[in-house]
Amino acid sequence: MKPLWLSLMLLLAACVPALQEVDPVRAPQADNWGPNPSPVEWWYISAYVPEAGIAFHWAIFKGYFTPRIGPAFLGLLYPGPFHASHLAVTDLREGRKFFDERSDFRPDAPRGDAIIEFPPLRIEQGDWKLIQQGASYRLTAGPLDLRLTPRKPAVVHPPGYSGTAEVGRMYYVSYTRLGLEGRINGREVWGEAWMDHQWGGQLSGREALWDWFGLHLSDGSDLMLYRVKKPPSAGQAEGEVVQLAGSRTDPQGRIAELKDLRMTPLKRWTSPSGRSYALSWKVEAEGLQLELNPVRQDQELLTTSTGVAYWEGPVQGGGSWQGQPVEARGMGEFVAGTYRP
């Protein structure tokens, strides 16, 4: 007779659908914006709109309770997928940050109320919605009521994924520049946004930490910068860097790897929770010199729906590309680790 624990694990394996990890030799398609059979997946939209004194970040996460992700017993009760959403809005004129989050397990939500469909793309969690409408997207979530229209085609970031076998990999596609118009907190806004889709087997905050930028440059190009790290060991300020990935999407929408990329932290900030974040950076690559700084320091998000602590906020800076001066602005995301209230 099988022991009880083995029987439960076999039952769990039968309940959870077959999930696909990232194949590092097979790049994804840039038009892959629908749900995938992956352990973890997310969609992300952010923008820094200085003309309106606003920055925001919205994301929805999809995952499964597998023995690796845990807690494993929930896979028996809820084979998934399960969902969580984050929404952060920073009013730079008033110096205020608003954050809200949702999950399938919040007390006021019927389990499984999230919807993710494609094509066309339709993502809903309660009344937070991202709906594709022809060539544009409509995002309505809390104080956001926005229309987003891609100004460049979707791209696959070289080498097609972020991460490593050790910390987990995520396929990675983006709209690096979208026109944005609508209202936030009743204030009319217009500008440019960034939209990501990632899926694979990486557990944010537990197996992998990162420092990330999505930047719009004044010459019409866009930069993605990604520094993936292990969680720090005892006594370390930060974990070992296991991947540096960067790409430039030119004004015509053609993407290329940033060669000889280096990202050097310049200044750190300690949050009220006691976590340390590198917020000012020197970035160097073949043909590129940049210095980046936060527009506002106090942008830490402590999430109960996903159990992750991270900094998300507007950044700006300047430097040169191929010897020509450029200004940069966009969003930064720095994952510090896990969070338990």
Side-chain angles (χ1 to χ4, degrees), residues 186-259:
R187 184 185 304 170
E188 186 176 358
V189 297
W190 64 95
E192 294 174 321
W194 184 290
M195 182 172 170
D196 276 347
H197 180 205
Q198 293 186 255
W199 66 101
Q202 188 182 93
L203 301 184
S204 170
R206 288 168 51 184
E207 294 181 353
L209 312 180
W210 60 76
D211 305 302
W212 172 92
F213 292 95
L215 302 170
H216 296 138
L217 269 57
S218 55
D219 67 352
S221 64
D222 312 312
L223 300 183
M224 187 285 298
L225 307 170
Y226 221 147
R227 200 174 79 131
V228 184
K229 305 173 292 186
K230 295 179 184 178
S233 302
Q236 288 183 315
E238 66 175 17
E240 176 190 351
V241 176
V242 296
Q243 184 195 33
L244 275 176
S247 63
R248 177 180 182 266
T249 304
D250 72 12
Q252 291 72 44
R254 298 168 299 202
I255 193 167
E257 176 189 4
L258 286 173
K259 297 181 179 179

Side-chain angles (χ1 to χ4, degrees), residues 217 223 225 246-248 256-263 283-290 320-323:
L217 269 57
L223 300 183
L225 307 170
S247 63
R248 177 180 182 266
E257 176 189 4
L258 286 173
K259 297 181 179 179
D260 299 323
L261 176 63
R262 298 177 299 283
M263 295 174 63
V283 178
E284 302 166 282
E286 186 177 295
L288 178 70
Q289 297 280 338
L290 276 183
S320 64
W321 169 253
Q322 301 294 1

